Amino acid sequence: MWRLCYHPVMTKTRVTVSAAANIALIKYWGKLEKGLNQPATASLSIGLEDLRTTTIIERIEGQSDVIDFNAPETARQRILDFLDLLRKQYEVQGHFHITTENNFPTGTGLASSASGFAALAIGFSEILNLNLSRQVLSQLARIGSGSAARSVFGGFVEIIPADDAFASRIMPAEDWPLAVIVAIASDGTKTVGSSEAMKHTAATSPYYREWLRSHVQDMDDARLAIVDRDFEKLADVAEHNCLKMHGAIITTRPPILYWLPATLAVMHEVRQLRESGTPAFFTIDAGAQVKVICPAEHAKSINARISELPGILRTIETRVGGEPEITAS
Ligand code: 2P0
């Protein structure tokens, strides 16, 4: 349930927002040259119910914003820049104390920027009683991080490139109870950040043009598979799209290789599961972690198999969901 609502009171001083990470089954990889994080490709994602950022926003009297976030300085600076931009856009005076925390590893290819900037955009609207629509919240979150546009919704979500692109929901999570097993192959931060890697791919991969060209068909196939609850079809197009993105990433010069041996071990395990009749597919983002998607009833047994694989540090079992919540004020 969406709990953001209009409060006619102008004196709110503190809000707490929980927003969930999401993973793309059809990937956003590439930006347009114009605009702020304007995606060069559409994307389609699922919200992850239990991978969340909790952000407290308080109005303060000081001359500058205060950020409490256990993350590298660059991540804190991105928040400060985002607040400056929002302040300018909405002609807001005053400063904020932001306390933000992820209940999963930050900056390791698990979409912490998606949940983080979605929580900030929602919290900013809420504390100032701006009553922004979800479309506008999605556009704002996108400015913070492209994938954050999708975390303004839970369930099955898509973004279509457009002037000032925004996400919309394809289907609520309850309509197709899928589970997600996140296999952690590394606790290290990613070797090359997504923004930089996207630019490098566009500039040097011989496959980037084909990546862009074939994307619309993948989106159409995935959207239809979701609406029809056709797991096999979704598995086929999602793995294809993931491998195509990594094909373009691997063939950059100098090359970027996010995978580790444990990443490949999970991919092979998922193939074996499928060959033996267990429905499952994998997807991998800008990092070594693998996410395995399966019907909810298979989650326990698949998780047990994945957890045992060499090099897998641990797993997180969750489900499609991830509706943002304003948990306190
Ligand atoms: C996605 N990824 O669709 C793709 C697939 C990673 C691989 O969006 O530069 O942190 O902040 O817009 O959103 C990760 O990149 O990049 C990402 P910015 P973001 O989820």
Side-chain angles (χ1 to χ4, degrees):
M1 258 119 335
W2 180 247
R3 289 176 207 124
L4 183 64
C5 53
Y6 179 66
H7 297 272
V9 190
M10 297 303 290
T11 55
K12 210 178 285 171
T13 56
R14 178 188 156 111
V15 296
T16 304
V17 178
S18 161
N22 71 75
I23 49 171
L25 303 183
I26 304 299
K27 312 286 188 188
Y28 146 57
W29 195 257
K31 299 182 203 233
L32 300 181
E33 293 199 351
K34 280 190 182 165
L36 297 164
N37 284 340
Q38 282 282 53
T41 62
S43 58
L44 186 157
S45 66
I46 48 180
L48 301 181
E49 178 60 22
D50 304 298
L51 275 68
R52 285 182 174 266
T53 299
T54 302
T55 298
I56 302 169
I57 305 188
E58 293 166 278
R59 300 181 80 158
I60 53 173
E61 292 296 332
Q63 294 300 306
S64 55
D65 299 315
V66 178
I67 312 291
D68 278 336
F69 183 28
N70 185 13
E73 192 48 39
T74 46
R76 294 150 52 82
Q77 190 58 48
R78 272 179 84 178
I79 297 176
L80 290 168
D81 293 345
F82 187 61
L83 286 174
D84 280 342
L85 189 140
L86 293 177
R87 224 179 338 249
K88 205 176 279 176
Q89 186 153 334
Y90 289 92
E91 298 175 354
V92 168
Q93 308 289 322
H95 290 88
F96 301 95
H97 184 167
I98 309 283
T99 309
T100 189
E101 158 174 90
N102 299 320
N103 69 355
F104 59 98
T106 302
T108 63
L110 289 179
S112 53
S113 64
S115 48
F117 284 102
L120 272 175
I122 294 166
F124 183 84
S125 171
E126 182 69 10
I127 199 161
L128 296 168
N129 297 306
L130 296 176
N131 195 28
L132 301 179
S133 67
R134 279 222 236 187
Q135 175 177 321
V136 174
L137 289 171
S138 175
Q139 287 166 322
L140 290 179
R142 192 207 74 229
I143 291 168
S145 181
S147 52
R150 300 184 308 238
S151 278
V152 163
F153 297 90
F156 301 83
V157 178
E158 70 176 343
I159 305 178
I160 307 294
D163 287 346
D164 208 359
F166 56 89
S168 52
R169 179 162 29 222
I170 299 172
M171 199 167 84
E174 310 80 81
D175 286 7
W176 198 9
L178 296 179
V180 182
I181 294 141
V182 180
I184 312 278
S186 166
D187 275 329
T189 49
K190 57 180 108 161
T191 42
V192 187
S194 301
S195 297
E196 190 188 335
M198 284 183 204
K199 259 194 220 155
H200 189 53
T201 308
T204 68
S205 171
Y207 301 135
Y208 184 68
R209 191 181 285 218
E210 177 59 17
W211 161 252
L212 296 181
R213 192 202 62 78
S214 58
H215 212 77
V216 174
Q217 187 65 54
D218 291 355
M219 280 296 293
D220 288 349
D221 290 348
R223 198 183 297 109
L224 199 60
I226 286 169
V227 173
D228 290 346
R229 275 76 137 184
D230 185 338
F231 189 84
E232 213 173 304
K233 189 170 176 182
L234 184 61
D236 175 66
V237 68
E239 282 193 0
H240 169 68
N241 186 268
C242 164
L243 292 172
K244 203 161 47 180
M245 179 187 80
H246 282 277
I249 293 173
I250 288 167
T251 49
T252 50
R253 276 188 161 172
I256 299 169
L257 184 57
Y258 287 120
W259 299 354
L260 290 173
T263 315
L264 273 163
V266 179
M267 293 159 78
H268 283 291
E269 185 67 21
V270 168
R271 289 188 155 210
Q272 277 174 16
L273 281 165
R274 244 193 345 255
E275 276 161 25
S276 63
T278 305
F281 68 87
F282 64 77
T283 191
I284 306 157
D285 292 301
Q289 335 297 7
V290 188
K291 293 88 176 190
V292 180
I293 295 95
C294 62
E297 63 272 25
H298 294 282
K300 286 271 167 301
S301 63
I302 294 176
N303 192 2
R305 295 263 298 257
I306 302 286
S307 310
E308 301 276 285
L309 292 173
I312 291 303
L313 306 177
R314 61 192 176 282
T315 61
I316 306 170
E317 192 178 315
T318 184
R319 61 184 169 86
V320 178
E323 195 68 22
E325 289 173 9
I326 295 166
T327 52
S329 58

